[in-house]
Amino acid sequence: MDGVVCSWVRPRPVDVGLARGLVDHALVAAGVGEAGRAAARLAVSEAFTNALVHGRPEVGVEVWSKPGHCAVIEVYDTEATVPVFPQTWELADAVAEHGRGLGLIQAFTREVCGAYRCGEGKRVWFAVAPDGGEIDADAVRCLVDERARRKADGASSTAA
């Protein structure tokens, strides 16, 4: 799958559900089973909510896959500050009202997730296996890094 993209110029809390539905439908098309889709629905809810609360509009979601290997979901906004995922020992504070979203994304996706700067904003990404099982986190990070480089190269060549 080359990618499914949806952007919200003025996102609202109700759009979290729309993002979940978009991701679920895109993952069905990519051949991801219910276990992987369930993890992705939970993770996209957290990432989209974080973008609403901490980011700046526009907010968007992109879903792409490497067939037979993984599907990657990226949530982006125009706030330039890249979030830092918590360390494992920091996740123990489960009663905190705020600050758990990135830790939950890590848990839902078995730590196959990250964030990077992109254009004027940032992207928080995570990946799921087609069967909901384990995937090679380092290999996925390489895929995400390569795709980010291609996007950046394409953006700089169109700006020239």
Side-chain angles (χ1 to χ4, degrees), residues 1-6 26-27 29-31 61-67 70-74 123 143 147-148 150-151:
M1 170 195 298
D2 208 22
V4 174
V5 180
C6 188
L27 293 177
V61 175
E62 182 172 4
V63 182
W64 55 276
S65 68
K66 181 174 181 186
C70 69
V72 177
I73 298 88
E74 300 188 40
R123 287 176 174 250
L143 287 172
R147 189 172 173 99
R150 284 196 323 264
K151 280 182 178 253

Side-chain angles (χ1 to χ4, degrees), residues 36-101:
R37 293 194 328 267
R41 286 190 302 266
L42 292 168
V44 79
S45 294
E46 291 298 329
F48 198 96
T49 300
N50 280 354
L52 279 173
V53 173
H54 304 291
R56 289 186 293 154
E58 125 191 10
V59 173
V61 175
E62 182 172 4
V63 182
W64 55 276
S65 68
K66 181 174 181 186
H69 179 66
C70 69
V72 177
I73 298 88
E74 300 188 40
V75 176
Y76 60 87
D77 65 66
T78 55
E79 167 59 43
T81 305
V82 177
V84 176
F85 282 80
Q87 299 298 315
T88 305
W89 56 268
E90 295 174 305
L91 298 177
D93 190 8
V95 297
E97 172 103 14
H98 298 286
R100 296 179 304 177

